[in-house]
Amino acid sequence: MKIQFAAPCLFGLESFVADELRNLGAEAVAPENGRVFFEGDEHLLARANLCSRFAERILIVLGAFEAHTFTELFDGVKALPLENWIGEYDEFPVKGHCLRSDLFSVSDCQSIIKKAAVERLKQRYHIEWFEETGVRHALIFSILKNQVHLFLDTTGTTLHKRGYRPTANEAPIRETLAAALCAMSRLRPYHTLYDPMCGSGTILIEGAMLVQNIAPGLHRHFTAERFPQIPPEVWREEREKAQNAVVPAPDFQAFGSDIDEEALKIAEENAVRAGVRDKIIFRRADIRDFKPATEHGTVICNPPYGERLQDKKQAARLIETMGKVFPRRHGFSYCVISPEEEFETLFKRRADKRRKLYNGMIRCQAYMYFK
């Protein structure tokens, strides 16, 4: 069964998602701003949900059309074969967004799409009332420059929620972004990873999972597991493949430190839940005392940003400190994500490479030093 999919992602991670999907066997991979379109079968649906480190969701593309009026929106949705996925008892809530389009009211579009879906399904199932007590089939719409895409969510709880971090410290980094920082730092199974401001341990945990090829969705469930169109054996087979793809990394070691003892406690608990506690050594330490204990290392960190004036001054001093304790050193590379436009001035060194990223809604840059 050939299916067209879309994988929404954080801005700046499109190429990571595209490469990842190709490696998972996806066809017709086409990255756009904030999402990647691709094609595959029901096995790829399960595999992408289980194995994607960088995408936020895996969506089925139900259809696309142009709409400038509510009538065009209604007719466009009503023309789509929604019954191929949504049964007569299924729940089908609607949510989405509009951007730079004639139709700009999200709530109105939400209402019109729901009405059109009901009318389509009423005709197909010959019933007047939908109980919506069955399997959840969330409809997600995107209206960008009057181009409407209607999707069916297969993921449920977003993919960045791996399940190992039920609690976190203040301002945690998203798991998908942490995994991308590890990937762009070219973290390898023989490397030593450091995060001297590790907070709840997300970067360290994602790094340990990456080098061991542990599928991030291996121990969670997805909405599409209840879809009758996807046989249960598909999920069993893909889970087994993902489990068998895990590779030991006996030479990998990670070191995490933080000044906050409570954050370190949370980080240790998260590492245990993620199954990588044996790969990470935690200790309480100030960034000013950062002294790597190995000859080689990959340092990746997400320092506090600071939004109030006093916090901004503290954040600036923190960057100056990092410039001192992250010196040019053979065998070491550094990757710091920050929204600070004067980062390189404060760090007192131009980055060897920079990459624009978003940490949530905050526009940042990943500053990389490896020469």
Side-chain angles (χ1 to χ4, degrees), residues 221-291:
H221 292 283
F222 306 93
T223 298
E225 289 185 67
R226 298 185 64 200
F227 288 6
Q229 297 88 350
I230 314 295
E233 55 266 27
V234 168
W235 292 96
R236 284 197 298 268
E237 289 173 16
E238 292 301 330
R239 273 203 167 83
E240 187 176 342
K241 286 179 183 177
Q243 186 65 64
N244 293 337
V246 175
V247 292
D251 298 325
F252 177 79
Q253 186 68 70
F255 293 88
S257 56
D258 201 282
I259 199 169
D260 185 342
E261 201 156 342
E262 184 61 29
L264 288 172
K265 182 181 176 183
I266 292 171
E268 290 194 44
E269 292 171 353
N270 291 343
V272 170
R273 278 187 287 268
V276 296
R277 180 64 184 85
D278 62 319
K279 294 295 181 185
I280 308 172
I281 295 173
F282 294 101
R283 71 183 184 96
R284 187 174 183 273
D286 192 295
I287 180 66
R288 291 175 293 187
D289 301 320
F290 178 66
K291 292 179 181 177

Side-chain angles (χ1 to χ4, degrees), residues 98-124:
C98 309
L99 188 64
R100 299 197 296 275
S101 299
D102 295 332
L103 301 175
F104 55 84
S105 170
V106 171
S107 59
D108 287 340
C109 291
Q110 198 172 356
S111 177
I112 293 294
I113 290 170
K114 181 71 175 186
K115 289 178 182 177
V118 167
E119 287 303 313
R120 171 78 187 199
L121 296 173
K122 277 170 65 174
Q123 292 178 359
R124 290 302 180 272

Side-chain angles (χ1 to χ4, degrees), residues 162-175:
R162 322 292 205 203
Y164 64 73
R165 198 174 73 175
T167 58
N169 64 331
E170 189 179 349
I173 190 170
R174 190 170 287 198
E175 292 87 335

Side-chain angles (χ1 to χ4, degrees), residues 10 33 42 114 140 147 165 229 234 256 288 336 359 363:
L10 292 174
N33 283 339
E42 60 268 35
K114 181 71 175 186
I140 299 177
Q147 294 298 314
R165 198 174 73 175
Q229 297 88 350
V234 168
R288 291 175 293 187
V336 184
N359 189 358
R363 185 175 180 176

Side-chain angles (χ1 to χ4, degrees), residues 97-341:
H97 64 271
C98 309
L99 188 64
R100 299 197 296 275
S101 299
D102 295 332
L103 301 175
F104 55 84
S105 170
V106 171
S107 59
D108 287 340
C109 291
Q110 198 172 356
S111 177
I112 293 294
I113 290 170
K114 181 71 175 186
K115 289 178 182 177
V118 167
E119 287 303 313
R120 171 78 187 199
L121 296 173
K122 277 170 65 174
Q123 292 178 359
R124 290 302 180 272
Y125 294 122
H126 307 291
I127 55 175
E128 289 297 318
W129 178 258
F130 290 88
E131 297 178 7
E132 297 197 48
T133 55
V135 177
R136 184 180 178 87
H137 288 68
L139 297 174
I140 299 177
F141 66 89
S142 165
I143 306 178
L144 176 62
K145 296 179 181 178
N146 300 311
Q147 294 298 314
V148 181
H149 279 88
L150 188 63
F151 306 104
L152 175 64
D153 180 32
T154 73
T155 300
T157 302
T158 184
L159 290 176
H160 81 262
K161 295 186 178 180
R162 322 292 205 203
Y164 64 73
R165 198 174 73 175
T167 58
N169 64 331
E170 189 179 349
I173 190 170
R174 190 170 287 198
E175 292 87 335
T176 44
L177 181 56
L181 293 176
C182 292
M184 71 178 65
S185 298
R186 299 185 179 181
L187 192 64
R188 297 292 183 265
Y190 50 84
H191 283 185
T192 302
L193 173 62
Y194 290 91
D195 183 354
M197 287 171 281
C198 69
S200 54
T202 309
I203 290 173
L204 301 166
I205 292 168
E206 290 296 325
M209 292 174 67
L210 174 68
V211 298
Q212 296 178 93
N213 200 36
I214 298 173
L218 199 54
H219 303 296
R220 56 160 289 182
H221 292 283
F222 306 93
T223 298
E225 289 185 67
R226 298 185 64 200
F227 288 6
Q229 297 88 350
I230 314 295
E233 55 266 27
V234 168
W235 292 96
R236 284 197 298 268
E237 289 173 16
E238 292 301 330
R239 273 203 167 83
E240 187 176 342
K241 286 179 183 177
Q243 186 65 64
N244 293 337
V246 175
V247 292
D251 298 325
F252 177 79
Q253 186 68 70
F255 293 88
S257 56
D258 201 282
I259 199 169
D260 185 342
E261 201 156 342
E262 184 61 29
L264 288 172
K265 182 181 176 183
I266 292 171
E268 290 194 44
E269 292 171 353
N270 291 343
V272 170
R273 278 187 287 268
V276 296
R277 180 64 184 85
D278 62 319
K279 294 295 181 185
I280 308 172
I281 295 173
F282 294 101
R283 71 183 184 96
R284 187 174 183 273
D286 192 295
I287 180 66
R288 291 175 293 187
D289 301 320
F290 178 66
K291 292 179 181 177
T294 55
E295 292 184 8
H296 301 85
T298 302
V299 181
I300 306 173
C301 61
N302 172 45
Y305 299 157
E307 295 176 356
R308 297 185 300 273
L309 181 61
Q310 185 59 33
D311 290 341
K312 285 184 177 180
K313 291 179 179 177
Q314 292 175 354
R317 287 196 294 269
L318 186 57
I319 295 170
E320 291 173 350
T321 299
M322 284 190 288
K324 296 173 183 175
V325 298
F326 295 172
R328 269 196 185 91
R329 182 174 172 182
H330 180 70
F332 267 78
S333 67
Y334 307 98
C335 178
V336 184
I337 182 169
S338 173
E340 176 55 65
E341 293 181 2

